[in-house]
Amino acid sequence: MSTSNLNPAMGLPMVYLVDDEDVVRDALAWLLRSRRLLSEGFASGEAFEAMLDGRPDTRAGGDWPQAPSCLVLDMRMPGISGLVLFERLVERGLTPVLPVIFLTGHGDVPTAVAAVKSGAFDFVEKPFSDNALVDRVEQALAASGQAIARRQAMRAMSQRMAELTEREREVMALVVQGLPNKLIADNLNISVRTVEVHRARVFEKMDVKSAVELSNLLREA
């Protein structure tokens, strides 16, 4: 899967590299450049966390990253290990939009497998195939882009929902159940004409044209 499939409106993809060995970070950065991918390196888990802590948009409810991103993370490092950093990213709710690919030695494979079951995107065992690693990075970036798009869609829908009045929400709930206007009017003890007005406003605010489209939108959310 190529990054050419990503939505250019999201911005340039970014690969974050966290490894305590300069030579490894440099080699990975060169490898990514060969596929026209931008990267940013960090020599420790602490340095990467400091970057996150310095950004208000990485907190719960924030919108970082806005461009497709992934993290290539060494499992064994002095200080904060890769596994501990990953667990902290899970706590921050970042791993869907920032997929994590572990770099691991043979002895850490069982731990890496457990991390994948906990939500890591994948692990690559050292020494690794350059092409295989970058292929997985591109797939992780694609997954990030999809997660960012879902997050944007959810927030847009939440904003639309917030614009509905209490009565409009009541009408919407009955509309998605498939009730005709007459039964909705009877349920809410209002006139059919009032139902029609509220129904039209719900469709306008939710940016849909039919009850089926509205139901599908809420189901996807």
Side-chain angles (χ1 to χ4, degrees):
M1 182 180 298
S2 169
T3 52
S4 62
N5 295 323
L6 296 173
N7 181 357
M10 288 185 174
L12 293 174
M14 175 63 73
V15 182
Y16 296 94
L17 309 171
V18 179
D19 195 297
D20 60 306
E21 295 186 51
D22 294 346
V23 65
V24 173
R25 294 197 311 278
D26 291 344
L28 288 171
W30 179 88
L31 176 61
L32 293 168
R33 281 198 302 272
S34 72
R35 294 276 192 103
R36 298 183 179 180
L37 290 172
L38 297 176
S39 65
E40 184 176 352
F42 298 84
S44 67
E46 289 89 343
F48 186 74
E49 272 203 315
M51 182 275 289
L52 295 180
D53 290 339
R55 301 182 58 104
D57 54 355
T58 60
R59 296 167 189 160
D63 59 0
W64 183 90
Q66 295 182 339
S69 305
C70 76
L71 172 60
V72 178
L73 177 60
D74 190 19
M75 182 157 280
R76 282 189 181 270
M77 294 182 293
I80 298 177
S81 70
L83 188 60
V84 169
L85 177 58
F86 167 71
E87 291 169 348
R88 292 180 181 177
L89 294 175
V90 171
E91 291 174 359
R92 289 176 184 257
L94 287 175
T95 50
V97 291
L98 184 70
V100 175
I101 298 174
F102 278 109
L103 294 181
T104 179
H106 177 70
D108 292 321
V109 168
T111 304
V113 171
V116 169
K117 291 179 179 179
S118 298
F121 188 78
D122 203 352
F123 69 92
V124 177
E125 191 176 352
K126 300 175 183 177
F128 50 79
S129 160
D130 291 353
N131 286 332
L133 174 59
V134 182
D135 285 347
R136 289 304 280 157
V137 165
E138 290 187 331
Q139 291 160 12
L141 290 171
S144 171
Q146 292 167 1
I148 291 170
R150 285 194 299 270
R151 181 179 66 187
Q152 292 172 342
M154 284 290 294
R155 288 182 178 173
M157 195 190 72
S158 294
Q159 290 174 352
R160 294 177 202 158
M161 291 281 288
E163 294 174 0
L164 298 177
T165 65
E166 183 176 353
R167 179 63 84 187
E168 287 167 353
R169 290 193 187 94
E170 292 173 341
V171 170
M172 181 176 70
L174 297 174
V175 166
V176 298
Q177 290 178 30
L179 271 64
N181 289 349
K182 178 66 169 64
L183 287 182
I184 295 175
D186 291 344
N187 269 271
L188 299 179
N189 197 28
I190 56 179
S191 70
V192 172
R193 175 56 186 159
T194 301
V195 171
E196 291 172 349
V197 170
H198 286 313
R199 184 186 184 112
R201 288 176 179 167
V202 167
F203 283 11
E204 180 183 0
K205 290 180 180 180
M206 297 301 290
D207 194 24
V208 297
K209 294 181 173 57
S210 69
V212 171
E213 191 177 346
L214 177 62
S215 297
N216 290 338
L217 177 66
L218 295 176
R219 188 180 303 112
E220 289 170 4

